[in-house]
Amino acid sequence: MSHQFDLFNNETPATSEQTVNNSATALKLTTQDSQLTPSQQRFNRLLERIEKLKKQLLELQAISDAHRPLYHQAIAPLRERERLLTREMVLWLDERLQRKGLTPTQKRIATTILCGLSEQLAAQGDEEMQVLHDKHSTESLEQKEQASIKEIRTMMEDMLGESLTDEDSLETMQDVFNAGMARLREAEAEEKARRQARARKKKPTAAQLKAEAEQEEAETTLRKVFRQLASALHPDRENDPDERARKTALMSEANAAYDRRDLIALLQIQLRTELTDPASIAKMAEEKITSLTRLLKEQAQELEGELYHRRHAARHEFGLSSYETPSSTSLRRSLRREETLLKADIDAMQQDLQLIQDDKFFKRWLKDQIQPSNTVLLDEWIINTFR
């Protein structure tokens, strides 16, 4: 016999094991004697939305995990080959610049290409490339970094309208960026506090009072659901080792769900332990359904944000375009595209390295980089040809 009770009753019955559907839709409200109220319908729609979002997150994780080894197996060797060819080009340009036979313009173009390529390799930790860059450049990589740090600091200070302090380490661009963003967040928090202080001085509207009451009721609901579970599942009250272990696992699950404000997970644990069922939730007062719905809405918004950020991270990791939704099909298509481009770049680099051994071709090659008809600027050419 199951032990259902009012979710908002402070008394807690004994628990027993029950196997139920662990999906969010198992909590959907139904009623036999009348139609669902608008609040109950909203509750069910949010359950469906949350279930769909969780499924999308799991699917994204699964396809990313499955694609990752395939991606690195295909792309890593090509990028390493590209890196070695880029390095070979830098070393050849360094050697050629030490010999006679180039005009000042040709030397300038060759030096610009060398510095651009060696800077990329130095950023990957190649110390020899850093030495070669500084040998040919009028500005060392350290000087360039300091100039960039100064530039981003000025930009951050202009955004903030105040100077960044030197209390924290600001030795790298990332340090300056992090300090600026932290100060921006502090400024936003201060402005929010000021707005809230001004709002408190004003008489709240009926809508504001209603929203505050609903939020307070939602928080109370979440606490009550958790406390009921904590009381029913407290492992120290069990003498049987197996039952104590089971309750310890469930209590750990409930604690994690409460920390992330996951109402659905808490209700699912109640279903699994027969502390409630959808029928008892459906019989709750309208205001109680409203408070549960508010919590579900917050959870759905958080899941939508998490899905957005994970999709963005997947696009960045696997080279998808900003408009492409990560899927098995789009990831395979992107992998083929990136393989094709890398192989084409490698073929072009190998051909260039072979042909520039002929000094006449090398000079024509340099001249091609500054032709008016060439729509790609020299620095863009470096990035696109020797990525």
Side-chain angles (χ1 to χ4, degrees):
M1 180 176 177
S2 63
H3 301 276
Q4 280 113 30
F5 68 104
D6 186 349
L7 279 171
F8 305 97
N9 190 333
N10 291 326
E11 297 180 0
T12 305
T15 64
S16 64
E17 190 68 29
Q18 181 187 31
T19 301
V20 296
N21 187 344
N22 202 32
S23 69
T25 50
L27 296 166
K28 287 184 68 173
L29 305 182
T30 58
T31 180
Q32 296 179 347
D33 51 1
S34 62
Q35 290 186 341
L36 293 175
T37 67
S39 295
Q40 290 172 329
Q41 291 174 21
R42 283 194 295 272
F43 182 90
N44 284 350
R45 285 196 299 270
L46 281 167
L47 285 175
E48 292 172 352
R49 176 60 180 158
I50 288 171
E51 181 75 6
K52 182 178 180 180
L53 288 167
K54 287 185 174 181
K55 182 180 179 182
Q56 289 175 321
L57 282 166
L58 289 173
E59 289 175 347
L60 178 59
Q61 185 68 47
I63 63 173
S64 295
D65 290 345
H67 184 71
R68 189 171 290 110
L70 301 175
Y71 179 82
H72 290 293
Q73 183 180 6
I75 299 301
L78 293 174
R79 286 183 175 166
E80 177 60 15
R81 179 60 180 151
E82 185 182 52
R83 186 189 71 82
L84 292 174
L85 288 170
T86 302
R87 203 174 192 279
E88 186 178 344
M89 174 64 81
V90 172
L91 292 172
W92 189 89
L93 288 171
D94 172 60
E95 186 276 330
R96 181 61 188 84
L97 283 166
Q98 296 178 54
R99 290 188 276 118
K100 296 180 180 180
L102 297 178
T103 67
T105 298
Q106 291 168 342
K107 287 182 179 180
R108 177 181 58 79
I109 298 170
T111 299
T112 300
I113 295 173
L114 183 153
C115 290
L117 298 178
S118 59
E119 184 173 352
Q120 292 179 39
L121 295 171
Q124 300 172 23
D126 193 324
E127 294 181 0
E128 184 181 2
M129 293 296 104
Q130 179 176 348
V131 172
L132 282 178
H133 173 278
D134 293 352
K135 171 185 173 182
H136 291 276
S137 177
T138 57
E139 190 177 25
S140 70
L141 285 177
E142 183 177 356
Q143 290 172 328
K144 287 182 177 181
E145 183 178 10
Q146 291 303 314
S148 297
I149 290 173
K150 184 178 180 180
E151 183 178 354
I152 194 171
R153 179 167 184 162
T154 300
M155 180 187 71
M156 283 291 181
E157 290 176 343
D158 287 343
M159 291 173 61
L160 290 168
E162 61 183 69
S163 298
L164 291 174
T165 64
D166 292 321
E167 296 176 0
D168 298 323
S169 173
L170 298 177
E171 296 178 355
T172 68
M173 285 189 288
Q174 192 63 46
D175 290 338
V176 176
F177 180 78
N178 290 341
M181 293 306 297
R183 187 65 194 94
L184 278 174
R185 287 191 290 270
E186 290 174 7
E188 289 174 356
E190 291 168 1
E191 176 59 28
K192 182 178 179 181
R194 285 193 290 269
R195 289 197 303 268
Q196 290 175 340
R198 289 194 297 268
R200 282 193 294 270
K201 293 180 180 179
K202 297 180 180 179
K203 185 178 179 179
T205 65
Q208 289 172 332
L209 288 172
K210 181 181 178 182
E212 289 175 5
E214 288 178 353
Q215 185 62 41
E216 185 176 348
E217 179 65 29
E219 298 298 331
T220 300
T221 299
L222 193 67
R223 286 193 298 270
K224 284 187 175 181
V225 172
F226 174 71
R227 286 172 182 169
Q228 287 170 353
L229 282 170
S231 178
L233 299 174
H234 204 297
D236 294 344
R237 299 175 183 175
E238 282 294 339
N239 295 323
D240 180 78
D242 292 337
E243 186 65 9
R244 188 184 306 117
R246 185 186 74 88
K247 287 191 173 183
T248 298
L250 285 170
M251 196 63 239
S252 176
E253 190 179 336
N255 282 326
Y258 183 64
D259 287 342
R260 64 177 185 268
R261 296 172 56 80
D262 190 339
L263 174 66
I264 288 180
L266 291 174
L267 292 176
Q268 285 171 336
I269 297 171
Q270 288 202 338
L271 284 178
R272 285 153 55 190
T273 52
E274 294 187 352
L275 295 178
T276 191
D277 63 9
S280 66
I281 299 176
K283 294 176 183 177
M284 286 191 299
E286 192 75 4
E287 63 269 17
K288 300 299 183 183
I289 290 290
T290 300
S291 67
L292 291 179
T293 301
R294 188 178 186 90
L295 289 170
L296 293 183
K297 185 177 180 180
E298 292 174 2
Q299 187 174 350
Q301 290 172 342
E302 290 175 2
L303 288 171
E304 286 168 352
E306 182 180 356
L307 181 60
Y308 172 83
H309 289 297
R310 287 198 187 183
R311 281 175 171 170
H312 177 76
R315 290 187 189 101
H316 178 74
E317 180 180 1
F318 300 121
L320 292 176
S321 302
S322 58
Y323 57 84
E324 290 182 288
T325 299
S327 67
S328 296
T329 301
S330 66
L331 290 176
R332 286 195 300 269
R333 181 173 59 244
S334 176
L335 176 56
R336 289 194 297 269
R337 181 171 63 234
E338 189 166 352
E339 275 188 294
T340 300
L341 290 174
L342 279 170
K343 288 177 180 178
D345 287 345
I346 288 170
D347 288 344
M349 292 167 70
Q350 289 174 325
Q351 184 178 26
D352 282 350
L353 279 166
Q354 181 179 0
L355 292 174
I356 60 176
Q357 305 301 319
D358 182 328
D359 221 38
K360 290 183 179 179
F361 177 86
F362 175 56
K363 291 175 181 180
R364 288 198 303 272
W365 182 78
L366 291 174
K367 185 178 180 181
D368 287 341
Q369 311 315 313
I370 57 171
Q371 289 298 319
S373 59
N374 190 349
T375 59
V376 181
L377 297 177
L378 188 55
D379 55 349
E380 293 177 339
W381 176 89
I382 293 170
I383 293 172
N384 292 331
T385 306
F386 295 94
R387 289 183 301 176

